[in-house]
Amino acid sequence: MLHALGATAATSPLSRFIEDVFLLVPVAGRARYERLPDGRTTVVFRVIEEGRSGDVCVVGPRMRALVKDAGGVARAIILQFKPGWSTALLGVAANALTDRVVPLEDIWGRPGSELCDALLATRSLPEVLERVSRAIALRSRDSFETSSARLARRAVHLFEGGEARVERVAEQLGVTARHLRRSFTECVGIGPKDFARTVRLRRAVRMAATSRDWARIAADAGYYDQAHLITDFRELVGLTPGTFLKRAGSAAAEVELRD
């Protein structure tokens, strides 16, 4: 079962960098973690075998949906970064992590393994957030927010606000489309056109929660027509819209559909 803990993230010292926090708790020993492509980088702390072992991994931005069987995991805490912070906080460009799951130790070295050991010793979510806050504070002290990252976040805001054309977003931000593409890909991890595509997909999924009028959903979500919507679902999720929603409905508590 996946619980959104947005209020916890908003009041945490991490709120500058973290967009949301999720807690994954298996039901009857099993859980499926499903993440739609969204242009976000997450840090996942997993506890295995009731605290005897675990790991911390960085899950990069997705070009396609990610489905993982969480069997054997006692619980997992998922911290979703705001777009544009990968380079400053993790030390690698976001596009170096695209569609990858990388142990934090491989990125940070010894501090990554030390953070995992510290998190395994915690007994509550506030303790986890405090430990992560401390680790990120050490990283952010020697880093700075680049102009490219600020530009990328402004572009994210425009795309998620309804603008779909890269050229139009670049014009509003006062840069060339080429400059926007370069900055966006480096700082968010996927190109702005692909990002706009994920925004449109997630918009359609939210609309489908209250309607099955696919032609209307396609038009309102920004697709050319229903066939365009179906093509995007197949390419980004691997399923038709109807099949995806049937699966989501059968395990609604296990499916992550963040805004």
Side-chain angles (χ1 to χ4, degrees):
M1 182 176 295
L2 192 72
H3 304 276
L5 304 172
T8 300
T11 57
S12 163
L14 294 171
S15 60
R16 181 184 178 193
F17 314 110
I18 300 296
E19 192 168 58
D20 221 330
V21 179
F22 299 89
L23 174 64
L24 177 68
V25 180
V27 177
R30 293 185 61 82
R32 184 180 67 215
Y33 171 65
E34 182 166 328
R35 176 181 166 191
L36 294 178
D38 60 3
R40 264 65 175 178
T41 296
T42 62
V43 172
V44 181
F45 165 51
R46 302 190 307 169
V47 177
I48 302 170
E49 297 180 352
E50 293 299 333
R52 289 191 291 274
S53 63
D55 54 30
V56 180
C57 290
V58 177
V59 181
R62 306 293 306 176
M63 295 286 286
R64 300 292 183 271
L66 172 68
V67 180
K68 293 184 70 68
D69 183 355
V73 176
R75 65 183 180 278
I77 296 173
I78 303 159
L79 293 90
Q80 177 179 287
F81 281 88
K82 293 178 180 178
W85 282 109
S86 296
T87 301
L89 300 179
L90 298 177
V92 294
N95 58 338
L97 300 169
T98 303
D99 287 327
R100 296 179 62 198
V101 179
V102 183
L104 184 62
E105 183 179 3
D106 289 358
I107 300 174
W108 279 4
R110 183 175 178 180
S113 60
E114 290 176 344
L115 176 61
C116 183
D117 292 340
L119 294 180
L120 284 171
T122 63
R123 292 294 178 266
S124 68
L125 179 61
E127 283 186 82
V128 169
L129 294 179
E130 191 278 330
R131 295 280 187 175
V132 174
S133 294
R134 190 183 307 171
I136 287 181
L138 291 174
R139 306 290 300 191
S140 61
R141 184 177 59 190
D142 299 322
S143 62
F144 61 94
E145 182 183 17
T146 65
S147 59
S148 292
R150 289 193 295 271
L151 175 68
R153 272 197 295 279
R154 291 171 64 195
V156 164
H157 179 73
L158 291 173
F159 283 123
E160 294 186 335
E163 185 57 69
R165 292 180 57 82
V166 174
E167 292 75 11
R168 177 59 181 154
V169 169
E171 180 183 347
Q172 292 183 56
L173 296 177
V175 298
T176 66
R178 181 179 180 181
H179 180 70
L180 175 61
R181 291 188 187 97
R182 183 172 61 249
S183 297
F184 201 97
T185 301
E186 177 185 346
C187 297
V188 175
I190 61 177
K193 185 176 180 180
D194 288 321
F195 183 83
R197 196 179 181 199
T198 70
V199 171
R200 188 171 55 206
L201 175 78
R202 299 179 71 83
R203 187 181 298 135
V205 169
R206 290 195 297 271
M207 291 176 179
T210 57
S211 171
R212 292 297 185 271
D213 184 345
W214 290 111
R216 179 62 181 272
I217 290 172
D220 290 347
Y223 292 93
Y224 295 123
D225 52 29
Q226 187 172 337
H228 184 200
L229 181 152
I230 292 171
T231 297
D232 257 22
F233 260 86
R234 284 176 170 162
E235 292 184 2
L236 298 181
V237 183
L239 302 168
T240 64
T243 301
F244 170 78
L245 290 172
K246 285 179 182 178
R247 189 176 72 182
S250 67
E254 300 173 11
V255 178
E256 178 184 0
L257 297 175
R258 303 190 294 268
D259 287 344

